[in-house]
Amino acid sequence: MVNESPDARPRRRLRPTRRGKIVLVVGALLVVSAAVLIPLALTGPDERQKEEESPQSTLMIPEGRRASQVYEAVDRALDLKPGSTRKAASTVDLALPAEAAGNPEGYLFPATYPVDAETEPAGLLRYMADTARKHFGADHITAGAQRNNVSVYDTITIASIVQAEADTASDMGKVARVVYNRLLKDMPLQMDSTINYALKRSTLDTTTADTQLDSPYNSYRIKGLPPTPIGNPGEEALRAAVSPTPGPWLYFVTVGPGDTRFTESYDEQRRNVEEFNRNRGSATTS
């Protein structure tokens, strides 16, 4: 977009993105709550005894979590040694599409899942992937992918970018449109969220050095979509990827909370980015 010299102090460069929504939420992946017991009058002694021996809880996977975060959440939920679920994911058959090349990113559907003392990570991962396939196989998803001239897998990848980039749910359709518009114009996506994924981080700042990263997920250097989704998108992001908001936008930046500005003008984007940098500078000084 703009050729700038590397700067030791991270500054916002001119990109179409909102500088990457913070998605690494340490310690917020797992929500465990006691299951509601079936009324005793409706259960026999055998069922009550089994329930007492294996109390059921729930594991909530929020939208946008990366596979690595899901693995950590499952390990905690099942009281397993760290890395156990990641290892299980490398051996279990999740019936993923060929395009995924065995990578379950994007197919660990965000939802609330039942867990108990007998739950194993392989079975829980299969449950998540089965849930994803049911959602992704819906008629409106396949029809939307065809309408947008992309595959269902590409649609999931776009949804994962939308999930990571959009400041609010109401912005998701516009973010998706920016992705499609840039793809149609053969422009690099220049999404900070893809670099954050490659570097296993989340940040609002991307340096010039970051944009030179040698990675297939560096959407500054490589045109087109990244090779896989960059997280596990939820329903709203998926709807946005299927039915993006009509518009000519090529750029966007979140200048302040709830103030994301979309434009097709490079000059206007520059002014918006400058305002963002001023706001960040004022906040730092304060």
Side-chain angles (χ1 to χ4, degrees):
M1 303 265 293
V2 171
N3 294 322
E4 297 178 345
S5 60
D7 191 337
R9 180 167 62 90
R11 296 272 302 170
R12 179 153 300 198
R13 301 180 71 254
L14 291 184
R15 300 176 283 274
T17 76
R18 74 169 203 87
R19 306 287 61 77
K21 183 179 180 182
I22 295 177
V23 295
L24 287 180
V25 184
V26 179
L29 297 178
L30 175 62
V31 176
V32 178
S33 60
V36 177
L37 299 181
I38 300 173
L40 293 180
L42 301 180
T43 61
D46 292 341
E47 287 77 9
R48 288 199 300 269
Q49 181 179 357
K50 183 176 181 180
E51 187 173 274
E52 291 172 359
E53 292 174 351
S54 300
Q56 190 177 81
S57 297
T58 57
L59 167 64
M60 186 183 76
I61 303 299
E63 294 87 348
R65 297 303 184 257
R66 300 169 182 168
S68 59
Q69 296 172 295
V70 175
Y71 300 153
E72 293 170 1
V74 174
D75 283 345
R76 289 195 295 270
L78 303 184
D79 196 23
L80 300 173
K81 179 181 177 181
S84 298
T85 304
R86 180 183 294 275
K87 183 178 180 180
S90 68
T91 59
V92 64
D93 182 8
L94 299 180
L96 300 171
E99 296 161 285
N103 187 338
E105 193 73 84
Y107 278 76
L108 303 177
F109 198 80
T112 299
Y113 297 94
V115 297
D116 58 31
E118 297 180 357
T119 302
E120 296 182 351
L124 188 52
L125 292 175
R126 277 195 295 266
Y127 192 173
M128 294 178 184
D130 288 345
T131 303
R133 283 196 306 276
K134 290 177 182 177
H135 281 77
F136 301 156
D139 291 343
H140 73 285
I141 301 297
T142 55
Q146 292 175 355
R147 184 172 61 250
N148 295 320
N149 198 31
V150 295
S151 68
V152 170
Y153 191 73
D154 287 342
T155 300
I156 299 163
T157 299
I158 292 169
S160 72
I161 294 173
V162 169
Q163 187 78 64
E165 291 283 347
D167 187 49
T168 64
S170 61
D171 289 335
M172 286 184 173
K174 290 183 176 181
V175 173
R177 177 54 64 190
V178 170
V179 173
Y180 283 113
N181 286 348
R182 293 181 76 89
L183 290 174
L184 287 171
K185 289 182 176 292
D186 197 31
M187 299 172 67
L189 295 184
Q190 296 185 316
M191 297 284 176
D192 290 355
S193 55
T194 65
I195 290 181
N196 282 339
Y197 183 80
L199 294 175
K200 299 179 174 60
R201 70 177 192 189
S202 285
T203 180
L204 293 177
D205 295 293
T206 298
T207 65
T208 301
D210 291 337
T211 65
Q212 302 305 311
L213 179 70
D214 183 13
S215 168
Y217 291 92
N218 183 353
S219 60
Y220 283 82
R221 296 184 63 182
I222 300 175
K223 294 180 181 179
L225 295 172
T228 71
I230 60 170
N232 293 278
E235 289 282 8
E236 288 179 310
L238 191 60
R239 284 197 295 270
V242 169
S243 300
T245 305
W249 314 291
L250 294 172
Y251 311 93
F252 66 93
V253 60
T254 298
V255 175
D259 183 10
T260 299
R261 300 180 189 176
F262 295 83
T263 181
E264 61 179 320
S265 166
Y266 173 74
D267 289 338
E268 184 176 353
Q269 174 73 356
R270 288 187 60 183
R271 291 192 293 272
N272 291 337
V273 170
E274 289 170 359
E275 182 174 344
F276 167 84
N277 284 325
R278 288 195 300 271
N279 292 344
R280 287 290 298 277
S282 298
T284 301
T285 301
S286 299

